[in-house]
Amino acid sequence: MPKYDSYRPEDWGDEEMMKKYPIQRDDAKLYFTNCILPRLNRAYKLFIGYTGDRAKEIKSWQCVSEDTEILSADGWKKIGGINKGDKVFSYDHPTGKIFVDTAREVFAFDANDEMISIKNAATDQLVTSNHRVLLKKSRKLTNQNNSVRVRTWDKDYRYVEAGKIPVGSVDYRLPTSGLYDGKVSIGGDWAELIGWFITDGCMPKKGGAYITQSKPETLCRLRSLLVSMNVEFREWSRKKELEHYHDEHRFYFPSKGEVMKKMNEWIPGRKPNIKLWHISLSEKRRLIEGICYGDGSKRPDGKYHMISKPKKDFLEWLQVLLHLTGLRGLVTEEYINVAHKDTIDIYGKRHISSKKYNGKVWSISTDRTNYIAKRNGKIFITGNSNIFVPYTQGVVETLMPRI
């Protein structure tokens, strides 16, 4: 590797420029020697330290507990399940968008130390004291029209080490979800119809599939959708004997028709798969609409707040889908609660505490300096480990050969 003081103008291909402007050349060289060089030295030492022999001596470097999972592009991964170069989800906090990122480094250590617990009804995080938490701090309550007091927040998110978060009478806001606009497209109508099939459909091994529906509002919606898609189907109905029950309607589809072909491709056996996380944002919203029409319950304001289906795999898949569309989901044994929020609020004195921990800790490093994680069924967005690695790697690989 070239030495820092081995600067030669010919290496840059502009020797004539250097002779023409000697004062500017000397100024640039002086600035490099006094300012850039010390920073580069420190960065390179950090790079070597955290990827070389010293890595074995570092304990619990900006990590999460062993039972915390990280969301990759292929699903949830436990400790040891992610390798360097794997694709993971990360959050761009200035825009609120979620992107597919790359795990630049993977870290795992033994820890016997005090960890920081951030826990309330919507989140459950256990991180090392130097782990970076992405948050906003609350401001004072301000009086609005009609004397309604409203809490205000910092404009931008910032990272704070968990052990340095003041735990007094202060509220904090943490991100839990964002907007992921995937590159796969199936069309909004097909996305909604897939949602209908997941909840109220039947796909027998022999014969055609069908969707059952009886509620007048959703029945009209499903019929209109099928007509607008111009797909082949036939409708059958059966009158219920009890007056307070709605008539049952079934929509049948040919076994070799377009609908069955699409359903077998995207949800074989009516089981949703991870590919649906990667469809476009607008299509994910239509998919959620279809699911809600089938098994959702509405609030008085018309928004769906609960989706009932006692299948753990489905509820956990749906929870991720919600968090990739700016919503928040909390899974129970039989249903998922839907919150139309992309954040959670915690109270420092009540929800942040220290906890003795003895076991493995782990984390990854990403370009956007964070990732999506889950602990005890609750999803959150948190800072990554070793922020220096992506930076110093770029510095070393780009500048070193030119100096």
Side-chain angles (χ1 to χ4, degrees):
M1 179 176 294
K3 296 181 179 179
Y4 293 135
D5 58 359
S6 64
Y7 174 86
R8 295 179 303 171
E10 57 269 22
D11 291 340
W12 296 76
D14 51 5
E15 187 174 4
E16 292 183 4
M17 186 74 71
M18 295 297 181
K19 293 178 180 179
K20 188 175 181 180
Y21 300 101
I23 297 177
Q24 291 86 341
R25 177 200 63 194
D26 292 341
D27 285 344
K29 190 172 183 179
L30 188 65
Y31 179 75
F32 178 85
T33 303
N34 294 334
C35 297
I36 302 299
L37 181 57
R39 296 177 187 175
L40 188 58
N41 272 325
R42 288 195 298 271
Y44 188 61
K45 287 178 181 178
L46 284 168
F47 174 71
I48 294 299
Y50 294 122
T51 58
D53 294 336
R54 281 183 54 205
K56 300 176 182 178
E57 303 173 6
I58 301 169
K59 301 299 180 183
S60 56
W61 176 255
Q62 298 179 344
C63 291
V64 296
S65 58
E66 182 178 8
D67 58 350
T68 302
E69 299 174 71
I70 295 177
L71 185 60
S72 77
D74 299 321
W76 291 109
K77 302 293 183 181
K78 298 181 179 179
I79 184 171
I82 292 182
N83 299 312
K84 183 176 178 179
D86 287 353
K87 298 300 180 182
V88 297
F89 286 106
S90 66
Y91 178 68
D92 184 58
H93 54 85
T95 63
K97 295 180 180 180
I98 289 175
F99 295 91
V100 174
D101 210 329
T102 302
R104 297 299 181 187
E105 299 288 341
V106 181
F107 304 91
F109 306 104
D110 292 312
N112 185 4
D113 203 353
E114 292 288 327
M115 300 268 280
I116 303 300
S117 172
I118 303 174
K119 183 178 181 180
N120 66 6
T123 193
D124 190 352
Q125 308 178 30
L126 187 60
V127 300
T128 58
S129 59
N130 57 6
H131 187 77
R132 299 175 312 114
V133 179
L134 189 60
L135 55 76
K136 291 180 180 179
K137 184 180 177 182
S138 68
R139 298 300 180 185
K140 294 181 179 179
L141 293 172
T142 57
N143 290 323
Q144 302 292 329
N145 295 334
N146 301 322
S147 299
V148 176
R149 303 189 74 193
V150 178
R151 185 176 297 281
T152 59
W153 301 87
D154 290 340
K155 181 180 179 181
D156 300 316
Y157 284 107
R158 60 192 177 95
Y159 288 108
V160 179
E161 289 188 12
K164 296 181 180 179
I165 301 176
V167 294
S169 301
V170 183
D171 288 319
Y172 301 98
R173 177 160 287 177
L174 283 63
T176 56
S177 56
L179 304 176
Y180 172 49
D181 194 13
K183 298 186 182 301
V184 180
S185 179
I186 58 174
D189 290 343
W190 282 110
E192 182 180 330
L193 187 58
I194 288 173
W196 279 101
F197 259 99
I198 290 173
T199 53
D200 286 342
C202 180
M203 297 171 61
K205 293 182 179 180
K206 295 182 179 180
Y210 60 86
I211 299 174
T212 303
Q213 192 56 225
S214 59
K215 295 178 289 186
E217 177 187 353
T218 53
L219 177 62
C220 291
R221 171 73 184 191
L222 177 57
R223 185 184 295 118
S224 298
L225 174 66
L226 295 174
V227 171
S228 67
M229 294 177 68
N230 196 29
V231 295
E232 185 179 356
F233 74 95
R234 64 181 179 86
E235 184 177 350
W236 170 91
S237 63
R238 179 178 66 180
K239 189 174 182 61
K240 293 291 181 122
E241 296 180 359
L242 299 177
E243 293 184 1
H244 60 280
Y245 280 85
H246 298 299
D247 294 347
E248 178 185 343
H249 289 251
R250 285 188 181 182
F251 296 84
Y252 285 92
F253 305 93
S255 59
K256 296 184 179 180
E258 185 181 10
V259 172
M260 277 298 295
K261 181 179 178 181
K262 190 74 75 170
M263 296 305 118
N264 286 326
E265 176 186 355
W266 286 93
I267 50 169
R270 273 183 67 227
K271 294 181 179 180
N273 60 64
I274 291 172
K275 287 194 302 182
L276 291 169
W277 292 348
H278 297 279
I279 61 178
S280 70
L281 180 60
S282 61
E283 291 171 0
K284 279 196 283 286
R285 287 170 171 162
R286 289 287 299 276
L287 173 61
I288 293 172
E289 284 182 9
I291 293 171
C292 288
Y293 286 134
D295 284 337
S297 300
K298 287 184 177 180
R299 304 186 313 201
D301 63 1
K303 292 182 177 180
Y304 285 95
H305 70 100
M306 185 173 68
I307 299 170
S308 303
K309 199 173 186 68
K311 292 185 178 181
K312 183 179 178 181
D313 291 345
F314 165 76
L315 293 175
E316 291 181 348
W317 168 87
L318 177 58
Q319 183 186 30
V320 174
L321 185 70
L322 293 173
H323 281 256
L324 295 178
T325 53
L327 303 174
R328 202 177 72 214
L330 187 61
V331 174
T332 70
E333 291 185 358
E334 296 189 351
Y335 59 87
I336 184 170
N337 280 315
V338 181
H340 294 262
K341 300 178 180 178
D342 58 2
T343 60
I344 53 149
D345 296 341
I346 61 171
Y347 184 54
K349 186 181 293 185
R350 187 182 307 153
H351 300 138
I352 302 176
S353 62
S354 60
K355 181 179 180 181
K356 185 65 178 177
Y357 182 87
N358 187 1
K360 292 280 187 181
V361 294
W362 76 302
S363 191
I364 61 174
S365 174
T366 64
D367 290 336
R368 288 186 175 83
T369 71
N370 59 61
Y371 52 84
I372 301 176
K374 178 176 73 170
R375 183 170 185 264
N376 293 332
K378 298 171 182 177
I379 297 177
F380 56 94
I381 295 170
T382 191
N384 71 179
S385 183
N386 196 359
I387 189 174
F388 302 105
V389 166
Y391 168 72
T392 53
Q393 245 177 335
V395 170
V396 172
E397 293 173 358
T398 303
L399 294 183
M400 284 292 191
R402 303 177 64 181
I403 298 174

